[in-house]
Amino acid sequence: MKYSDKRVLIVEDQRPFLLMLKGLLQSMGATNIVTKSSAEQAISEAKRTKFDIVVCDLHLGADYKNGYELVEELRVKRLIKTTSVFILISADSTRSMVLGSIDRRPDDFLVKPFSQVQLKSRISRAWQKRQFLQQAYEFIEKEQFTDAITVLNTLYKEPSHYKGHCEQLLVETYCRKNDCKRALAILAPYTSGKPVLWAQIALGKTYIQNADYDKAITIAMKTLKRNRFSADANDILALAHQGLENREAALNAIKEAIKLSPYSVSRHLQACEIAKQNLDFVTASLSCSAIWNLSKRTVHKNSLHWCTLIRSLLDVAEHSEDQKQRNKYQQEALLALQRGKFDEHLLKMDRNFDVDIFGNIVNARVSAIDGKLIDAKKHLVNSQVAIEEKYAEHPTAYLPDSINVMYTLGEYDDAIALSKIVATRTDELDQNSASMLEQKAEKAKTNLANYQQFNREGIQHYQQNSFERAKASFALAQNYAPVNIGVALNLLQCLLQLFKIIDKADSQMAGECRRLYKLLDNIPLKDAYSEKYSNLRDELSLFLGL
């Protein structure tokens, strides 16, 4: 391998080691070498120059992007070529950190101290592999999977040291095409032959994709007997048990996977889903916290992850029967909200995100959990008015939690309207938020159906001038939507018509009016609702003397 014509980037925050690395590469023949002390500087440089070789330290400062976050961003944003080699180095050989690094697929991982011979050998081996598979990598990057498969099949037939790599890429590509049959055909020799780790993991994942959960469990258990530290095998166990609805076993497996390799966002997302299915909201909140901390410096950063963290704390409070625990998690959510106002990561990743607006949504949910529905409605309306005033379109970051509170309060029409917006932006939602919305909609389905039925019946009775029956139907609808403005106004309208019929004050109906006044007077109303309410009060005052 000729180094003199290669562009090399070294990323190392410790100057003595940076100079040593530069010296090693110069002695190997490299002449075009750029050095940077941080991942952020490296990304800026990679936007200008396409490097052939990147050598990067894992730890680049406690509060800064690290090495495996850098390789992930360079690959995802295509700031390095498909033939570029990325070597990650570290003095940290702890299992969790090594597994977390390998999850991001650097070309190699070297533990300090290492020799020039080792460095040269690893770079050369990775370079030759990427050169051999270059065309396949390019097609995969462009998602031209059929062309990639054709190239890989051709390369597999050539004499080389890369047959295993060809097989691995073929399996992954077939799975991305949802062609499990061909993926399993490639893996068939490994079902009873020599237990190769990548093939066993690929078999388990393919069985999961094909919904062959029992086979996935069998292969995962065999893998764990040979390698009890395989986080991937525990992932497969968790997914398989989840598919079979063995929820406790799924939760135990994903917890073990996280214990072995805690630096994977996708693993924590899976843990959230499994934990919520087990009603283990504390575990879900821990994974939500991990997702935020793991993602905020990465290419996957998203203000939704921060919102989900706060929502997960309120989930614990909402489902807790212990008052102390409920108060504790509500306070944790409010403290996290306050810290968000000064979180540089949050403010930088989404300049349009308004913590105060989101705070109103959070306070709405806190009030709802405490049974203070009018206060909850007030906070929610204030948040939606602020959103309308500030934005031309409802930002995606606010949608999941707004819909969550709307369903809780029985504001079904508004929840459905916002859900239609979400349906047009599914690519913007993180897995956690999407899953929450599905569960919330499913949970509210019965109440929504009852609300719609009684509200519809009330409208029909009113149109038929059957005002007593209309009032009874609207009252039933209000049981399922206690602070719904539309239903409250419909009830007042029925009471007004009944007053006109009897043409005198009625103490019971007057009491009902006062209850509805208390609700409507304490909630900011949209212009159309405000005008209707004002007109109804004026007419009712003739009978109530108010």
Side-chain angles (χ1 to χ4, degrees):
M1 178 180 174
K2 186 179 179 182
Y3 285 86
S4 59
D5 61 351
K6 305 295 186 294
R7 286 161 293 191
V8 180
L9 174 62
I10 301 172
V11 191
E12 169 62 70
D13 64 333
Q14 300 296 319
R15 183 164 177 78
F17 201 78
L18 185 150
L19 293 174
M20 187 197 80
L21 277 172
K22 185 176 181 180
L24 286 175
L25 284 154
Q26 284 175 330
S27 66
M28 288 156 58
T31 56
N32 189 350
I33 301 175
V34 175
T35 61
K36 295 296 176 184
S37 60
S38 73
E40 288 75 12
Q41 293 174 1
I43 289 167
S44 295
E45 189 65 33
K47 290 177 180 178
R48 294 189 291 269
T49 306
K50 293 294 184 182
F51 291 99
D52 301 296
I53 300 168
V54 181
V55 180
C56 178
D57 192 16
L58 172 59
H59 296 290
L60 299 169
D63 296 322
Y64 299 95
K65 196 185 302 289
N66 62 33
Y68 64 64
E69 291 167 344
L70 173 60
V71 64
E72 187 174 36
E73 185 156 344
L74 291 178
R75 296 280 187 211
V76 170
K77 290 187 175 180
R78 301 180 183 178
L79 297 176
I80 52 178
K81 299 176 289 186
T82 55
T83 53
S84 300
V85 170
F86 193 107
I87 306 295
L88 199 56
I89 58 176
S90 178
D92 189 344
S93 59
T94 57
R95 183 184 300 111
S96 59
M97 191 57 70
V98 172
L99 290 175
S101 300
I102 292 173
D103 277 345
R104 272 66 174 193
R105 294 195 173 185
D107 291 280
D108 216 324
F109 185 93
L110 268 172
V111 179
K112 300 176 185 176
F114 51 82
S115 67
Q116 179 180 320
V117 172
Q118 286 176 300
L119 180 62
K120 186 175 182 179
S121 171
R122 300 293 184 89
I123 292 174
S124 177
R125 185 171 64 187
W127 177 263
Q128 297 300 331
K129 184 189 83 172
R130 284 204 167 267
Q131 290 297 311
F132 182 80
L133 297 168
Q134 175 183 356
Q135 194 176 9
Y137 281 133
E138 288 174 352
F139 281 131
I140 290 170
E141 187 178 76
K142 296 173 185 175
E143 297 188 357
Q144 296 175 359
F145 300 130
T146 301
D147 293 329
I149 288 167
T150 300
V151 169
L152 286 166
N153 279 317
T154 301
L155 292 175
Y156 182 77
K157 295 172 184 176
E158 295 181 12
S160 73
H161 299 294
Y162 306 110
K163 290 188 180 295
H165 295 292
C166 288
E167 287 180 324
Q168 194 168 357
L169 279 175
L170 274 169
V171 170
E172 290 175 3
T173 307
Y174 277 127
C175 286
R176 290 182 70 176
K177 286 190 68 180
N178 293 316
D179 191 345
C180 295
K181 184 177 180 180
R182 285 189 170 86
L184 290 171
I186 294 168
L187 292 167
Y190 296 100
T191 56
S192 57
K194 185 179 178 181
V196 178
L197 182 59
W198 77 260
Q200 304 306 302
I201 297 301
L203 269 169
K205 290 180 178 179
T206 309
Y207 286 143
I208 292 290
Q209 191 171 345
N210 207 35
D212 290 333
Y213 300 122
D214 290 323
K215 289 182 179 179
I217 290 172
T218 300
I219 202 73
M221 293 301 295
K222 286 181 179 178
T223 302
L224 286 169
K225 282 183 180 179
R226 290 185 292 269
N227 182 358
R228 63 191 180 93
F229 300 118
S230 174
D232 287 328
N234 279 292
D235 285 337
I236 292 165
L237 269 184
L239 289 167
H241 282 302
Q242 185 184 21
L244 293 171
E245 297 188 1
N246 300 329
R247 292 176 178 173
E248 186 176 353
L251 185 60
N252 290 335
I254 200 66
K255 282 182 176 180
E256 184 62 25
I258 288 172
K259 182 179 176 182
L260 291 167
S261 181
Y263 302 115
S264 166
V265 170
S266 60
R267 185 167 290 127
H268 281 289
L269 284 168
Q270 190 64 40
C272 283
E273 186 174 343
I274 293 172
K276 287 176 183 177
Q277 288 177 354
N278 276 271
L279 304 182
D280 186 347
F281 296 100
V282 173
T283 294
S285 71
L286 292 173
S287 277
C288 286
S289 178
I291 290 165
W292 168 242
N293 289 320
L294 287 170
S295 67
K296 63 186 177 183
R297 290 189 301 265
T298 73
V299 69
H300 305 296
K301 57 183 177 286
N302 191 329
S303 55
L304 276 164
H305 293 316
W306 181 76
C307 298
T308 299
L309 164 59
I310 294 176
R311 186 195 316 131
S312 72
L313 295 169
L314 293 177
D315 282 342
V316 180
E318 183 178 345
H319 293 88
S320 176
E321 296 181 1
D322 181 73
Q323 185 65 46
K324 287 184 178 179
Q325 187 183 47
R326 185 180 303 127
N327 292 339
K328 173 189 171 185
Y329 278 91
Q330 283 180 329
Q331 288 303 311
E332 282 191 28
L334 294 172
L335 283 172
L337 182 66
Q338 288 301 313
R339 287 193 292 268
K341 295 180 180 180
F342 310 100
D343 192 317
E344 292 182 5
H345 294 289
L346 178 62
L347 299 176
K348 285 180 181 178
M349 73 176 62
D350 190 346
R351 297 288 185 184
N352 289 322
F353 185 81
D354 190 316
V355 176
D356 289 328
I357 289 177
F358 184 71
N360 265 323
I361 301 171
V362 170
N363 281 308
R365 187 164 179 206
V366 170
S367 296
I369 291 171
D370 289 337
K372 301 173 182 177
L373 299 186
I374 293 179
D375 288 343
K377 175 70 176 181
K378 192 185 301 184
H379 287 303
L380 180 63
V381 171
N382 285 336
S383 70
Q384 302 309 300
V385 169
I387 289 169
E388 287 181 8
E389 290 176 350
K390 183 168 182 175
Y391 306 100
E393 293 184 344
H394 204 302
T396 302
Y398 305 129
L399 286 169
D401 296 280
S402 295
I403 295 170
N404 184 318
V405 178
M406 288 170 182
Y407 273 128
T408 301
L409 296 179
E411 290 291 351
Y412 304 112
D413 295 332
D414 291 340
I416 291 169
L418 290 190
S419 295
K420 289 178 180 177
I421 298 175
V422 169
T424 67
R425 303 181 191 171
T426 51
D427 58 325
E428 297 179 28
L429 276 187
D430 65 295
Q431 182 183 331
N432 227 320
S433 298
S435 177
M436 181 277 292
L437 288 175
E438 289 176 10
Q439 292 172 6
K440 201 71 180 178
E442 183 63 29
K443 187 176 180 180
K445 192 176 287 184
T446 301
N447 285 346
L448 170 59
N450 288 330
Y451 156 76
Q452 289 177 328
Q453 177 188 338
F454 291 124
N455 194 52
R456 186 167 51 249
E457 288 177 1
I459 292 170
Q460 290 172 350
H461 292 317
Y462 188 89
Q463 290 172 341
Q464 295 165 1
N465 296 326
S466 182
F467 303 121
E468 190 67 53
R469 294 179 69 185
K471 183 170 78 73
S473 293
F474 286 132
L476 288 170
Q478 196 175 49
N479 287 336
Y480 297 99
V483 292
N484 186 288
I485 303 301
V487 170
L489 290 172
N490 287 339
L491 274 169
L492 276 181
Q493 209 161 2
C494 288
L495 289 165
L496 174 61
Q497 296 301 327
L498 289 170
F499 273 122
K500 288 180 178 179
I501 291 171
I502 63 175
D503 196 27
K504 64 179 181 179
D506 179 283
S507 59
Q508 184 178 349
M509 290 197 300
E512 289 185 62
C513 286
R514 292 189 184 92
R515 178 181 66 81
L516 293 167
Y517 288 169
K518 184 179 179 181
L519 167 64
L520 294 166
D521 286 341
N522 282 283
I523 294 175
L525 301 177
K526 295 178 181 178
D527 290 343
Y529 283 153
S530 181
E531 183 179 356
K532 183 176 181 179
Y533 177 45
S534 179
N535 292 335
L536 284 170
R537 283 204 68 157
D538 288 344
E539 289 194 68
L540 283 163
S541 66
L542 300 174
F543 301 96
L544 300 176
L546 298 176

